[in-house]
């Protein structure tokens, strides 16, 4: 029997003084473009904006998870914290046997917190890292400690034979990412694991430990849009030689980390760490419940339309931000390690929700897909709402005007922004359909600015949500504002860009 929801929630006093700082007055630098629709939108949702201390930069990022038992097993910089999921769940009053959806599962924070609270969850993500992570963490109660201790002992004592010279795979953008002894050890331990008799569960745990070590064993660092390279790497040394020969300025002496970790030592340490936590969790029976995590490694755009109507009791998620960050570049080491080649990475880039300047439109694919599942009418309805959204249309026009004026440093931004909101609107519409009445939906996101044009991601998303039937309950805004990019600031001045958590209800 479905339990009734208690009356809530998400209603508190609002500090109007603080709020003023977070409202945007000028959406278009130098009033170069029309901003009527965005100004209207700001007024429309302003009463629901709440500057809050409930969440902060640490809780909406991976920072808090660094020390969290279980959540620290994968350093997923794009993740949010268990703390955030717990705070939201406390307010959502999900029924006991309820199911929470996180369509952008990442390292699986939402699913794991739900599991600890006895709630079922559904998660999607396209990256295999997500799959390895969730398999390893969700089976924490099932590991055989004796087997893991043997595994640790063997890993600690591994010696690469003198005649072993295989190296871990590279693609062009990851070439020579590891010092020679690491590129060999990473391959060796992987071959050794595959040939060993350990259970699939233990092998997967070791895979996670390798994945979690790769960046620190390499000359690279995740910088957001790209992989950053250390000046001591063969790649930068070679590039600098060529630059010197042709009289070009040398690349800056960037040090990504003082010491590039030894792969053998680091992987062993990671394994020790996870085994210590597994023992602790098993001893305290911290996870003793039967809640189920249903994870599917696929694009949300194909999975959500298949969800049954009224089958979900809440959503907690954070999609990729509209910020040009390319997961397939920053996670290239991990993706290549998990078997993706040159083409696999390119395909994945186009499967990501449009968040890079290389993203191409997915509208035709979406139309075909909806036809193939007999839901063409649904496609048409959603697409009509998107096409008639006057705020999105204003943003698109403004960006085009900025392009003609030479204000965009990459014109791919226009296609990215259009794709981003189009795809997310499909996500919002499908979530609405799949939610049981009374469910709450929380999306964490950042506002952005391109070419001097502010794009209010939080309010624009909420407008779509409203158009699909949700009641917008609250837009929590963090105290700290998101920094402007230095280029934008120099050219167009400073504006406040909110970092928000939007809360919608299907009444
Ligand atoms: C901001 S992260 C979510 C992090 C997560 N909340 C956590 O705590 O680890 C966004 C995730 O969306 C995933 N993603 C991007 N495009 C996707 C798509 N089309 N379908 C499913 N997942 C996608 C990315 O791989 C990334 O893991």
């Amino acid at each position: 029997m479905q339990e009734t929801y208690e009356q809530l929630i998400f209603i508190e006093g609002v500090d109007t003084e603080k709020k003023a700082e977070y409202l945007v007055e000028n959406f278009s630098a130098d009033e170069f473009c029309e901003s009527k629709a965005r100004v209207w939108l700001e007024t429309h949702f302003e009463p629901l904006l709440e500057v809050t201390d409930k969440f902060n930069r640490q809780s909406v990022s991976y920072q808090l998870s660094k020390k969290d038992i279980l959540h620290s097993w994968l350093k997923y910089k794009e993740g949010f914290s268990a703390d955030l999921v717990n705070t939201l769940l406390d307010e959502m009053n999900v029924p006991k046997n309820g199911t929470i959806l996180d369509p952008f599962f990442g390292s699986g924070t939402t699913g794991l917190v739900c599991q600890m609270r006895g709630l079922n969850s559904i998660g999607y993500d396209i990256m295999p890292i997500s799959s390895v992570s969730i398999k390893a963490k969700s089976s924490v109660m099932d590991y055989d400690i004796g087997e893991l201790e043997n595994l640790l002992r063997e890993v600690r004592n591994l010696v690469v034979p003198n005649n072993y010279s295989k190296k871990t795979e590279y693609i062009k953008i990851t070439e020579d990412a590891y010092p020679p002894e690491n590129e060999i050890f990473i391959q060796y331990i992987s071959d050794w694991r595959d040939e060993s008799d350990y259970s699939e569960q233990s092998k997967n745990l070791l895979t996670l430990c390798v994945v979690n070590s790769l960046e620190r064993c390499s000359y690279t660092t995740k910088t957001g849009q790209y992989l950053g390279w250390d000046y001591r790497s063969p790649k930068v040394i070679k590039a600098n030689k060529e630059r010197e020969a042709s009289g070009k300025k040398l690349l800056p002496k960037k040090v990504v980390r003082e010491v590039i970790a030894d792969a053998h030592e680091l992987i062993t340490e990671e394994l020790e760490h996870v085994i210590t936590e597994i023992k602790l969790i098993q001893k305290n029976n911290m996870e003793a419940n039967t809640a189920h995590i249903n994870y599917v490694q696929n694009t949300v755009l194909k999975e959500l339309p298949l969800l049954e109507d009224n089958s979900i009791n809440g959503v907690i998620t954070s999609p990729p931000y509209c910020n040009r960050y390319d997961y397939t570049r920053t996670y290239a080491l991990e993706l290549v390690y998990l078997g993706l080649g040159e083409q696999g990475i390119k395909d994945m880039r186009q499967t990501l929700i449009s968040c890079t300047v290389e993203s191409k439109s997915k509208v035709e694919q979406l139309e075909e897909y909806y036809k193939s599942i007999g839901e063409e009418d649904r496609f048409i309805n959603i697409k009509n709402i998107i096409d008639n959204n006057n705020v999105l249309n204003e943003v698109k026009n403004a960006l085009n005007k900025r392009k003609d004026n030479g204000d965009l440093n990459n014109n791919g931004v226009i296609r990215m922004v259009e794709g981003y909101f189009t795809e997310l609107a499909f996500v919002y519409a499908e979530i609405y359909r799949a939610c049981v009445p009374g469910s709450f939906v929380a999306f964490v996101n950042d506002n952005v600015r391109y070419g001097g044009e502010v794009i209010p991601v939080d309010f624009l998303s909420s407008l779509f949500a409203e158009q699909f039937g949700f009641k917008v309950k609250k837009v929590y805004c963090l105290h700290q504002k998101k920094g402007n990019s230095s280029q934008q600031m120099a050219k167009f001045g400073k504006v406040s860009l909110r970092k928000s958590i939007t809360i919608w209800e299907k009444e």
Side-chain angles (χ1 to χ4, degrees), residues 267-285:
I267 294 167
T268 311
E269 254 173 48
E270 286 295 323
L271 194 58
E272 273 164 3
H273 168 73
V274 297
I275 294 175
T276 308
E277 294 205 355
I278 291 169
K279 283 184 192 162
L280 194 72
I281 294 171
Q282 288 195 356
K283 191 166 148 230
N284 292 299
N285 227 6

Side-chain angles (χ1 to χ4, degrees), residues 76 78-80 102-109 124-127 298-300 318-320 327 351-353:
Y76 199 56
E78 291 68 21
F80 47 42
D102 184 345
F104 302 100
F105 215 44
S107 56
T109 320
Y124 311 124
D125 206 293
I126 49 173
M127 298 223 284
N298 196 4
T299 170
V300 67
S318 165
Y327 290 76
T351 314
L352 280 173
I353 291 293

Side-chain angles (χ1 to χ4, degrees), residues 60-62 65 71 74 76-82 84-85 102-110 123-130 133 137 295-303 316-321 327-328 331 348-355 362 423 427 444:
V60 300
S61 71
Y62 174 74
S65 298
H71 300 288
L74 177 68
Y76 199 56
K77 276 170 86 179
E78 291 68 21
F80 47 42
S81 67
L84 173 118
V85 179
D102 184 345
F104 302 100
F105 215 44
S107 56
T109 320
T110 303
Y124 311 124
D125 206 293
I126 49 173
M127 298 223 284
I129 304 165
S130 207
S133 163
K137 297 174 187 172
Y295 167 77
V296 185
Q297 190 188 329
N298 196 4
T299 170
V300 67
L301 298 174
K302 288 201 166 159
E303 289 298 322
I316 298 178
T317 197
S318 165
Y321 296 168
Y327 290 76
T328 61
Y331 284 92
M348 183 165 285
R349 194 166 297 143
Q350 292 307 329
T351 314
L352 280 173
I353 291 293
S354 293
C355 57
K362 299 185 185 58
E423 293 151 33
V427 171
V444 179

Side-chain angles (χ1 to χ4, degrees), residues 373-429:
I373 58 167
E375 296 293 354
E376 195 181 359
D377 287 351
R378 222 152 80 197
F379 170 84
I380 294 170
N381 290 340
I382 300 172
K383 185 70 173 51
N384 271 340
I385 289 184
I386 299 166
D387 291 344
N388 292 311
N389 185 302
N390 59 349
V391 179
L392 181 56
N393 288 335
E394 180 183 283
V395 168
K396 278 165 26 189
N397 289 338
L399 291 176
N400 274 306
K401 199 170 162 192
R402 289 294 187 175
K403 172 184 134 197
D404 295 342
N405 200 45
D407 288 338
L408 293 181
N409 53 21
N410 190 313
N411 293 339
V413 161
I414 304 178
R415 203 175 43 206
M416 172 188 78
V417 170
E418 175 164 15
Y420 186 79
F421 285 104
T422 303
E423 293 151 33
L424 279 191
F426 273 89
V427 171
Y428 304 149

Side-chain angles (χ1 to χ4, degrees), residues 381-382 385-386 425-426 428-429 432 463-470:
N381 290 340
I382 300 172
I385 289 184
I386 299 166
F426 273 89
Y428 304 149
Y432 180 76
L463 181 63
F464 274 121
E466 208 168 67
Q467 289 170 331
F468 292 124
F470 281 111

